[in-house]
Amino acid sequence: MSVYYEIKAIDSTKYKHAPSSLCEVTAEKAACSALPIVAVITPEEFDSLGIDLNVLKKSPMALIHSESNYVDVYPDFIVGSLSIPRKSCGSPLAASFAFYLDKTKLLFVDDETGAESILSNAVRTGVLGDVTPAHCLYFFMKEFLINEYSDLNDFEDSMEDYEENLLKRGADIQPEKLVEFRRCTMRFGIHYQQITAIATELADNENKMMSKADARSFEHIATLAERLTSRAEVLKEYSMQLHEMQETHISMKQNAIMQVFTIVTVLFAPLTLVTGWFGMNLQLLPGTDWSFMWIALIAVGVLSTTLLLLLFHRKKWL
């Protein structure tokens, strides 16, 4: 679904520095508007605009479905791609789309709804700063990263739930879940590092297409992305701690099983010795001619087993 917005200044009589807002318009009105335009369009609509992109290092479709964040700065425009990693390893991406920025328009090229949902959140906040497409890109990326904070909090909650289950003795262990945690946190870190690189390059304003104020605003995006990178590193270390905790839990369960086997072996050791001794086919074995020997052997077995059980209980092995 495509959506078009004009960047309109709010009544300057009420504000010393007139802020602006995004006002939704039709595609026809956007095509002939003299105001800056922000739009989310399909790849087919982008092709119909006739923008010459022969100098691109990547095709528009490759940018839309790129699994990484990417930007290229040209003399008259900037193109790039943004992707949102899914917070589970069931699918590599939650959304991916391309963007095109020049002095009069900001276009997000998307064949799904990822860009539209983020832009609609930005529109609902109401007031923007300068009336420029570049500032709208900053505002979009800021909304994009703020949503990531919430998603990382939810992801951390799922890791904490797994930790609580792991601490419960006898809880089911899911090794594949830990693999998912580790892979996701690694992917988050790479994703935010790429966002930092994009924001830094935009802040450099190499083609001087943006004002100094707009370029400086992307330094804020770089700072936000660096904080998210640090948060992803913390979650990565947390996933490694969960892995170590799981290994410890498995070792403890194995030790408990071996302890039971050892106790059973020790309990039956005296009985095994007695049966082995009197089971030998030897003549004149001491005690074989005593009629009460079987009672003595039973008494010895009960006594030895009782003493060993008391010893194990005192040592808290049982």
Side-chain angles (χ1 to χ4, degrees):
M1 179 179 177
S2 301
V3 59
Y4 296 82
Y5 297 94
E6 284 181 334
I7 305 178
K8 289 186 176 181
I10 298 176
D11 187 2
S12 60
T13 60
K14 297 181 180 180
Y15 300 91
K16 183 177 180 180
H17 299 288
S20 58
S21 63
L22 296 175
C23 300
E24 188 171 356
V25 296
T26 63
E28 293 75 15
K29 185 174 181 180
C32 59
S33 175
L35 295 174
I37 296 296
V38 178
V40 179
I41 59 177
T42 64
E44 294 75 19
E45 289 173 313
F46 183 79
D47 291 337
S48 67
L49 295 177
I51 299 175
D52 184 13
L53 298 179
N54 292 327
V55 296
L56 286 184
K57 297 177 182 177
K58 292 186 177 182
S59 68
M61 286 303 296
L63 287 172
I64 294 171
H65 298 289
S66 175
E67 294 188 4
S68 61
N69 300 283
Y70 170 85
V71 69
D72 260 337
V73 178
Y74 295 92
D76 299 321
F77 63 90
I78 297 171
V79 293
S81 63
L82 294 172
S83 63
I84 304 173
R86 192 177 296 276
K87 301 307 180 288
S88 98
C89 292
S91 177
L93 294 177
S96 62
F97 40 84
F99 67 89
Y100 171 93
L101 173 68
D102 62 24
K103 292 183 178 181
T104 61
K105 55 185 171 292
L106 170 63
L107 304 177
F108 294 99
V109 187
D110 190 5
D111 53 7
E112 296 183 2
T113 60
E116 181 187 352
S117 63
I118 297 175
L119 186 59
S120 64
N121 288 335
V123 172
R124 281 195 295 269
T125 60
V127 177
L128 294 175
D130 299 327
V131 189
T132 63
H135 188 80
C136 288
L137 178 60
Y138 154 76
F139 203 71
F140 180 93
M141 294 182 69
K142 180 181 177 181
E143 188 74 23
F144 173 79
L145 292 179
I146 288 175
N147 291 337
E148 290 292 289
Y149 274 107
S150 176
D151 290 342
L152 285 183
N153 287 337
D154 293 340
F155 187 80
E156 185 176 11
D157 289 342
S158 66
M159 296 177 71
E160 290 175 351
D161 291 341
Y162 184 86
E163 181 182 18
E164 290 179 3
N165 291 331
L166 191 60
L167 290 174
K168 294 177 183 177
R169 191 171 184 84
D172 292 335
I173 296 176
Q174 300 173 302
E176 67 279 1
K177 196 70 176 177
L178 283 182
V179 173
E180 178 180 330
F181 288 152
R182 187 167 63 253
R183 289 178 179 175
C184 285
T185 52
M186 290 175 62
R187 190 170 66 243
F188 298 160
I190 294 173
H191 168 70
Y192 300 132
Q193 288 171 4
Q194 292 171 349
I195 294 292
T196 304
I198 288 177
T200 302
E201 188 162 356
L202 292 174
D204 289 341
N205 197 18
E206 184 179 352
N207 58 5
K208 308 301 179 184
M209 194 183 73
M210 294 182 284
S211 67
K212 291 183 179 179
D214 283 341
R216 281 197 303 270
S217 64
F218 286 100
E219 294 177 0
H220 177 55
I221 297 298
T223 301
L224 284 176
E226 287 173 355
R227 291 175 182 172
L228 284 167
T229 302
S230 300
R231 183 70 184 281
E233 284 298 318
V234 171
L235 291 179
K236 180 181 176 181
E237 292 177 4
Y238 188 16
S239 70
M240 298 303 295
Q241 291 173 3
L242 287 179
H243 177 74
E244 293 174 0
M245 188 181 299
Q246 178 179 276
E247 292 297 319
T248 302
H249 185 73
I250 293 174
S251 297
M252 289 175 63
K253 290 185 69 174
Q254 291 176 341
N255 290 340
I257 294 172
M258 293 304 299
Q259 182 176 339
V260 172
F261 288 153
T262 302
I263 289 173
V264 171
T265 302
V266 172
L267 287 176
F268 281 94
L271 302 178
T272 303
L273 176 63
V274 171
T275 55
W277 175 266
F278 287 96
M280 291 186 295
N281 188 18
L282 296 175
Q283 297 294 329
L284 300 178
L285 194 64
T288 55
D289 55 348
W290 186 32
S291 59
F292 294 101
M293 177 56 71
W294 64 277
I295 298 176
L297 293 179
I298 292 175
V300 169
V302 171
L303 180 62
S304 64
T305 302
T306 302
L307 291 175
L308 288 172
L309 287 173
L310 291 174
L311 176 63
F312 294 152
H313 182 72
R314 185 176 180 181
K315 296 289 187 179
K316 297 182 179 180
W317 294 347
L318 290 177

